[in-house]
Amino acid sequence: MNRLIATLLVLLGLISVHAQCPIIPTPSVYQESEGSVNIAEEISIDPKFLPDDIKDYIAQLFPRLFKLRVVYSSAGRHVVFRPLINVPKDHYSINIADRIQINYSSDASCFYAVSSLIQLLQEQDGGYYVKKGFIQDQPKFEWRGLHLDVSRHFFSVEEVKRYIDLMAYYKFNTFHWHLTDDQGWRIEIRKYPKLTEIGAWRDSTVIGHYTDSPRKYEVKKYGGYYTQDEIREIVRYAGKRYITVVPEIEMPGHSRAALAAYPELSCTGKHQGVEGLWGVFDDIFCSKKESIDFLKDVLDEVLELFPSEYIHIGGDEAPKTRWKKCAACQKVIKENGLKDEHELQSYFIQQMDGYLTARGRKLIGWDEILEGGLSPNATVMSWRGFEGGIEAASLGHYVVMSPGSHCYFDHYQSKNPSEPLAIGGFTPLEKVYQFNPIAPQMSADEAAYVLGGQANLWTEYIPDMKKLEYMAYPRALALSQALWCMEKPDYELFKKSLVDYQLGFLDRLQVNYSRALFYPELQLKKSREGVKLHFKGSAEAYHFDVFTKSSEAPGTMGGGQVMSEKDTMNFERTQNKVVDYTFRVSSGFSAEASVFKFKAHPSIGLDVEYVTPPAERYNSGGTLTLVDGIVGVKPWKGNEWVGFNDQEIELIVDLGEKKSLTDIELNFLEDHGSWIHLPALIRYSVSANGKKWKYLKSARIETDQNPEKGKFLLYRSSLNKKGRYVKILITTYDQIPEGMPGAGNVAWTFMDELMIFTK
Ligand code: TNX
């Protein structure tokens, strides 16, 4: 059926275009008509034109997933296939009438059609039915990736296969396998056996968050690796699901596991074990010829194992501390007329680029490979936002977008305090859904260089498959929409397909997906005298109890209240005290209650003017965040903190009327791994009219810039002055010092909450 006929049928009312689509990612065209194809006990498929791999896939999967016998016969009572010519690559259509006819333009698109069919089969009375109708579909982006870090935590062959299985259902086609890092080398290299004998094992692993102080370790041998046979098996397994495996061998940084095995490849030669802590470490591959030759040897074996066009060489977070002091590195700089260590990194990457290009492959690396000059054939994977990708595209290089803001599935997905420990950040389902690999500021020419996008699963805080699934699902479904759909339906429609169809499917597969979608959210609005609070979520009503630490709980609240989304609770600014509230909220959707903390204090709901605007992605609550009564926590979940990336930050608070100021309190976050540092200086001024300012005092913040210390600081200063407006001027240190993550960049300043006390 072509589009014209489909349109006619719509006009005749025989099919409906507004039908809710069960398939995710949503196909370009989905239409339903009256009736269905019913299938019970066995599914009869005509194997003609069905590629062998897909034939095997169906034969293995359908009996398991649907308890349907698969019968291949030329009768093809239920399903028939037909290759299409003269249509774009990866295009398919499914016409469901008396039987299901799948038309496809490539083997991959035949597989995508089968993936859609899997989601179309709906259970009924012990059998299955597929609604009649028409589907037409093709992918938007050619790189639809999910990444997995198996260094920080190791995942078995079976677990990796399951990860790949799940990817296949959602039409991902690239599995980025992060095989080496500081905490473990996971790929057998025949020429260098110590890489896995020594480099695959660590003696201890940090437990809790790496910024905890004091830190705790589990002292226990941990590790594992994949033999070359196992790797071949996984590459083959993924290939049968039309997924390309792109291996990543990290260089020159994140290489402590390799250096534990071969310390002579570092600058100092110092013997150190495989790292048990998360972070960025100074010891990296030396840029001398021996290290580069070693890596080329490693790549030789990698190329034998992985047929992928792209080979990922890492390139991120490589401190130049050792290179600066290393005679061998300085010699390379001199001999090659390089300006500095950044150009040396670029030289290093160019060696690999040349090596891979000569062997018919392409190098891809994290966006740091832009620093010091991008190697001629390199493709950039942009993780520190979209900027690196935009720059690379403007230089005519291919790009995969994987910005932390939308694509880091190691971040928190809800603000619920019951969320299991994560590295930090806040990337809820809706945020992922908003992801578009093409940044709005890109020209059409630049956009043409964007291959697609990818989510990353760094596993510092993901020790097992259960947690991995919890972090990846259902966010991976939102990502699949962003990467596949020509035109994404709006978020509410996506959510409906998710809830009505996909969660049941994930349940059948026993995926431990997150229910964050159903958690109520606490939302706040400014009111005249303070803030208004309500619960938002998928439920009609929320049942809650309120507890207060102080005895002054308003009498109208207590246990067993019920509130709908429209109801609000009003909190007025207090007279100079802080009242702590705890809400325990439940809805019919999730068994567990959500717990929220709220502080009523003298500044809630005040007008704060950000003279320096905070970074958009760390200011979801607008100007209210600093005075909303929700205090930023650690590990940070992103949006209860306000984040700035400037060296001078100016804020003006309006108290509404002239008051006698006593004290001011301001909290800052310190998390060096995320480039968040304490500021250097805070200056306070007051004014009666917002025009003429009187400088009051300053507070210098003592910080030893010690990354071991990660802490969370609260500054209280006494003001003792009358005024209506308070100006807060914050100055950061010049830049992040050498040897620390993000060295040379302006540090981030994260603050929350602000309280001004008066008499
Ligand atoms: C930064 S993303 C890293 C990883 C960490 C990750 C944690 C990137 C290229 N490097 O080494 O695991 O942050 O989110």
Side-chain angles (χ1 to χ4, degrees):
M1 179 159 63
N2 64 27
R3 265 176 202 252
L4 187 70
I5 300 175
T7 315
L8 264 174
L9 292 178
V10 172
L11 291 175
L12 290 170
L14 290 175
I15 59 176
S16 135
V17 266
H18 298 297
Q20 194 200 332
C21 178
I23 303 167
I24 284 180
T26 313
S28 305
V29 176
Y30 177 82
Q31 293 159 344
E32 275 178 10
S33 52
E34 286 299 314
S36 57
V37 172
N38 297 308
I39 302 165
E41 283 169 40
E42 67 170 44
I43 181 164
S44 154
I45 301 173
D46 183 354
K48 198 172 171 205
F49 302 125
L50 180 58
D52 283 343
D53 281 348
I54 305 175
K55 204 174 138 186
D56 293 347
Y57 179 75
I58 295 174
Q60 281 172 27
L61 188 70
F62 279 48
R64 255 198 303 128
L65 201 58
F66 301 113
K67 303 210 170 35
L68 283 175
R69 245 188 343 269
V70 177
V71 178
Y72 285 121
S73 103
S74 58
R77 277 186 299 114
H78 298 125
V79 191
V80 293
F81 291 86
R82 191 166 61 108
L84 293 172
I85 36 174
N86 293 336
V87 287
K89 186 174 151 284
D90 292 349
H91 170 114
Y92 74 87
S93 63
I94 310 179
N95 189 11
I96 309 142
D98 291 337
R99 54 186 185 174
I100 299 163
Q101 171 155 344
I102 289 176
N103 302 327
Y104 65 88
S105 65
S106 62
D107 288 5
S109 70
C110 180
F111 185 79
Y112 301 144
V114 169
S115 304
S116 290
L117 176 63
I118 290 170
Q119 298 186 15
L120 284 171
L121 282 159
Q122 303 299 323
E123 218 172 341
Q124 193 182 48
D125 305 331
Y128 291 87
Y129 70 95
V130 178
K131 282 193 185 146
K132 288 188 179 174
F134 175 69
I135 290 158
Q136 184 182 296
D137 203 10
Q138 71 265 47
K140 181 162 185 184
F141 291 103
E142 67 184 86
W143 186 298
R144 301 182 303 278
L146 278 189
H147 148 289
L148 178 62
D149 164 12
V150 292
S151 171
R152 275 58 178 269
H153 282 102
F154 182 66
F155 293 85
S156 70
V157 170
E158 284 316 305
E159 288 169 333
V160 172
K161 283 185 177 173
R162 177 165 162 93
Y163 192 71
I164 290 171
D165 276 338
L166 295 177
M167 286 176 66
Y169 293 126
Y170 297 103
K171 304 187 174 79
F172 287 98
N173 68 350
T174 308
F175 171 49
H176 172 170
W177 202 3
H178 185 79
L179 285 161
T180 73
D181 213 301
D182 300 304
Q183 297 81 4
W185 182 282
R186 309 277 177 231
I187 168 175
E188 177 192 13
I189 299 293
R190 274 181 267 113
K191 187 160 184 188
Y192 300 106
K194 283 195 281 181
L195 282 173
T196 41
E197 282 164 21
I198 296 173
W201 307 96
R202 59 180 184 249
D203 294 335
S204 69
T205 304
V206 67
I207 41 182
H209 199 259
Y210 79 118
T211 55
D212 287 352
S213 144
R215 281 201 187 109
K216 287 198 248 16
Y217 285 85
E218 182 178 32
V219 182
K220 193 172 147 194
K221 188 170 167 178
Y222 181 94
Y225 66 91
Y226 310 98
T227 65
Q228 295 205 342
D229 280 344
E230 287 171 332
I231 292 201
R232 271 188 215 97
E233 165 64 13
I234 284 176
V235 169
R236 193 193 59 82
Y237 188 86
K240 279 182 167 281
R241 284 152 184 77
Y242 296 86
I243 292 173
T244 303
V245 186
V246 173
E248 179 181 352
I249 305 295
E250 269 269 16
M251 61 187 86
H254 285 294
S255 46
R256 283 277 308 277
L259 300 179
Y262 297 99
E264 63 274 22
L265 301 173
S266 71
C267 292
T268 63
K270 191 171 141 198
H271 284 257
Q272 292 181 95
V274 175
E275 193 47 69
L277 173 67
W278 322 129
V280 173
F281 302 94
D282 281 344
D283 286 293
I284 65 174
F285 282 116
C286 178
S287 55
K288 64 191 170 199
K289 186 169 181 304
E290 292 83 336
S291 306
I292 287 178
D293 286 346
F294 162 88
L295 286 165
K296 288 178 178 170
D297 290 343
V298 168
L299 286 180
D300 281 343
E301 294 190 31
V302 167
L303 297 187
E304 261 176 49
L305 294 169
F306 296 91
S308 61
E309 182 182 13
Y310 287 94
I311 302 291
H312 205 300
I313 53 73
D316 61 311
E317 300 181 323
K320 308 298 179 295
T321 326
R322 295 286 181 263
W323 285 6
K324 281 192 177 153
K325 295 199 176 127
C326 165
C329 292
Q330 294 305 318
K331 195 164 152 235
V332 181
I333 290 185
K334 214 154 154 215
E335 283 173 1
N336 293 282
L338 307 173
K339 200 171 86 216
D340 56 15
E341 291 73 22
H342 293 291
E343 287 198 359
L344 182 56
Q345 154 124 349
S346 170
Y347 166 87
F348 194 113
I349 303 295
Q350 273 177 42
Q351 301 300 303
M352 301 302 151
D353 184 5
Y355 198 74
L356 291 173
T357 304
R359 282 152 188 79
R361 307 295 185 98
K362 292 184 182 158
L363 174 144
I364 183 165
W366 301 110
D367 54 67
E368 282 95 331
I369 64 171
L370 279 155
E371 291 163 12
L374 192 53
S375 192
N377 309 302
T379 295
V380 169
M381 190 170 266
S382 193
W383 73 279
R384 296 175 300 174
F386 290 87
E387 294 77 9
I390 297 171
E391 186 185 340
S394 75
L395 298 168
H397 287 253
Y398 285 104
V399 168
V400 175
M401 288 291 192
S402 187
S405 53
H406 297 74
C407 297
Y408 270 47
F409 290 180
D410 57 341
H411 289 176
Y412 284 101
Q413 50 194 319
S414 87
K415 286 187 271 175
N416 196 317
S418 67
E419 278 294 343
L421 183 69
I423 192 164
F426 184 62
T427 310
L429 189 66
E430 188 166 5
K431 183 85 193 198
V432 179
Y433 199 73
Q434 287 157 359
F435 175 50
N436 181 359
I438 313 267
Q441 64 268 50
M442 285 180 127
S443 69
D445 282 353
E446 287 164 0
Y449 285 104
V450 178
L451 297 174
Q454 174 178 299
N456 298 330
L457 278 127
W458 300 104
T459 56
E460 288 96 328
Y461 300 91
I462 306 181
D464 54 36
M465 200 59 192
K466 238 183 125 198
K467 179 116 177 241
L468 182 61
E469 289 178 0
Y470 179 86
M471 298 306 276
Y473 288 88
R475 288 189 284 196
L477 275 70
L479 180 73
S480 79
Q481 293 278 99
L483 299 178
W484 179 277
C485 301
M486 287 294 179
E487 263 174 67
K488 259 189 301 207
D490 69 48
Y491 180 64
E492 290 306 318
L493 280 175
F494 160 72
K495 248 174 47 179
K496 200 156 165 38
S497 295
L498 185 66
V499 173
D500 291 353
Y501 296 100
Q502 294 297 327
L503 295 185
F505 182 63
L506 294 175
D507 280 332
R508 281 233 300 283
L509 299 167
Q510 296 184 319
V511 176
N512 180 42
Y513 59 84
S514 157
R515 269 82 174 162
L517 169 70
F518 299 122
Y519 294 161
E521 265 181 60
L522 183 70
Q523 293 207 332
L524 290 136
K525 262 200 214 105
K526 215 186 192 68
S527 69
R528 243 163 54 94
E529 301 296 333
V531 295
K532 272 197 298 213
L533 174 159
H534 76 131
F535 303 116
K536 190 178 174 287
S538 322
E540 301 244 314
Y542 297 95
H543 299 260
F544 66 95
D545 299 318
V546 195
F547 305 90
T548 60
K549 239 201 231 163
S550 96
S551 57
E552 289 161 81
T556 53
M557 293 194 294
Q561 304 285 311
V562 181
M563 199 159 129
S564 82
E565 239 183 67
K566 283 180 234 95
D567 301 324
T568 57
M569 241 181 290
N570 209 26
F571 285 88
E572 292 182 2
R573 281 187 277 282
T574 60
Q575 292 290 337
N576 268 332
K577 62 183 162 238
V578 179
V579 188
D580 282 294
Y581 293 93
T582 303
F583 296 93
R584 208 175 243 294
V585 190
S586 56
S587 69
F589 282 113
S590 53
E592 244 185 281
S594 301
V595 178
F596 299 100
K597 304 258 181 210
F598 171 76
K599 269 184 201 301
H601 60 70
S603 305
I604 49 171
L606 283 180
D607 281 328
V608 181
E609 183 195 345
Y610 292 131
V611 182
T612 313
E616 214 178 297
R617 66 184 145 126
Y618 299 126
N619 181 34
S620 64
T623 53
L624 186 61
T625 312
L626 266 184
V627 287
D628 62 358
I630 310 285
V631 180
V633 292
K634 211 189 103 180
W636 57 288
K637 296 181 186 168
N639 68 352
E640 74 274 25
W641 292 92
V642 187
F644 296 85
N645 201 202
D646 298 271
Q647 281 185 274
E648 288 273 325
I649 303 157
E650 186 180 329
L651 308 169
I652 297 172
V653 188
D654 179 0
L655 299 172
E657 59 188 333
K658 197 165 171 190
K659 287 196 167 161
S660 211
L661 310 163
T662 57
D663 299 287
I664 184 161
E665 250 184 49
L666 195 48
N667 274 321
F668 292 96
L669 179 70
E670 186 175 42
D671 178 356
H672 292 171
S674 302
W675 307 13
I676 303 167
H677 289 247
L678 298 177
L681 186 71
I682 314 176
R683 277 171 286 180
Y684 300 106
S685 314
V686 285
S687 163
N689 55 14
K691 291 184 189 112
K692 266 181 63 188
W693 293 94
K694 168 122 186 65
Y695 168 77
L696 273 187
K697 68 187 306 185
S698 67
R700 185 163 287 282
I701 286 137
E702 292 307 329
T703 163
D704 46 10
Q705 301 276 340
N706 178 356
E708 299 294 313
K709 266 216 175 136
K711 56 198 159 201
F712 164 60
L713 276 199
L714 184 139
Y715 290 100
R716 187 160 180 141
S717 300
S718 71
L719 296 174
N720 286 327
K721 194 83 199 164
K722 278 203 169 107
R724 169 170 171 179
Y725 299 91
V726 180
K727 185 195 283 186
I728 304 165
L729 201 61
I730 296 159
T731 316
T732 70
Y733 285 87
D734 282 351
Q735 48 177 235
I736 301 175
E738 242 344 287
M740 299 183 72
N745 290 284
V746 174
W748 285 88
T749 304
F750 270 44
M751 57 178 112
D752 190 61
E753 170 99 351
L754 169 71
M755 301 183 200
I756 298 174
F757 296 85
T758 55
K759 261 204 296 239

